[in-house]
Amino acid sequence: MNIENLIAQITDSIQQRLGSKCNVSTTKVTKNNGIVLNGLVFQEEGTHICPTIYLDDFLESLALGVSMETVIQKILELYQKSDIQENIDVSNLAKFQNVKSRIIFQLINTERNASLLREIPSVPFLDFSIIFKILIGSSAENTATGTIGYSLMEIWNVSVEELHEAAKVNTPVLMPCELKSMREILEGYNDIPFIDDCCKMFVLSNQQRVNGCGSILYPYVLEKFAENICSDLFILPSSVHDVILVPFNEAPKRQNAEALAEIVRSVNKRELSQEDFLSDHVYHYSRKTKSITIAK
């Protein structure tokens, strides 16, 4: 059975179990770095929010021999957990003031998202682009956002600069940063090779651990950390969800910028999904200039 037939079978089965209270349909969604995923959209009566569950991992499970019934049950469980409360009335999106306090930014790779960036407002930053989203809902298990395109921006009659200013204020508040030492994260994994070197690293993200790499742009986060440890920083882009900070004065002598970049490239190639890719470069935060550059 081909993929389209499998998707149709999953859709029909779930629609039958949910009945008329919820309309189930399929869609294709272009995600970060141009990755296209198959999605199942759930439209409940009387709500503006339509949860989307991506099917690609489930399709792989079916190919590996997992039963259709098991897949259906897992999807229904995910749907039942996607109970994000509506923080804004989506029907009022035409009014900028209704959503201004919910606008946040996200950092993505410019080259990998060239097609997307032709359709949405953005601000360039090094080899990244800052894009803008509306935070619809956030909980311990779910974070729902909608990407702001040029059409919505025209309805609002606002500039890219206004979006950027709103996002710079809101994002650190709505998606607070979280900085942990690698030792905290690896606690209990004493058998990991080179753990001593790892423990000289720090992981920066947001508390939701979703698209948290933009935390490097939060006011004073890198500045205060670098001052506290009296060192410039290497920034390793581990994924769109987080970055690794390596103090200059802790980096092993053999690990200059190029050596660290080789590690990043290797991990990106072997371990990271294409959707989560951020960059193959290593970056330098300077205490003197309080700025981030691509490390030389």
Side-chain angles (χ1 to χ4, degrees), residues 205-274:
S205 183
N206 54 39
Q207 291 180 5
Q208 292 84 351
R209 307 270 181 98
V210 176
N211 296 320
C213 64
S215 300
I216 62 174
L217 300 179
Y218 289 6
Y220 309 114
V221 169
L222 295 182
E223 178 182 348
K224 288 182 178 179
F225 180 62
E227 288 300 325
N228 285 341
I229 63 174
C230 300
S231 174
D232 283 11
L233 303 169
F234 282 126
I235 304 172
L236 281 58
S238 52
S239 76
V240 294
H241 302 300
D242 50 43
V243 299
I244 295 174
L245 307 180
V246 182
F248 266 35
N249 57 17
E250 294 286 358
K253 293 181 179 179
R254 66 181 183 278
Q255 292 186 351
N256 55 26
E258 180 53 36
L260 289 171
E262 181 55 38
I263 293 173
V264 170
R265 288 191 291 269
S266 177
V267 171
N268 284 342
K269 184 177 181 179
R270 293 184 292 104
E271 307 290 343
L272 199 65
S273 70
Q274 289 300 303

Side-chain angles (χ1 to χ4, degrees), residues 134-174:
I134 302 172
L135 181 64
I136 298 171
S138 183
S139 68
E141 295 183 342
N142 299 289
T143 298
T145 61
T147 302
I148 297 172
Y150 281 120
S151 57
L152 192 53
M153 187 174 135
E154 290 175 3
I155 291 173
W156 290 339
N157 191 29
V158 297
S159 65
V160 176
E161 291 75 20
E162 288 175 284
L163 290 178
H164 195 195
E165 286 304 313
K168 285 194 294 185
V169 172
N170 299 332
T171 312
V173 175
L174 298 175

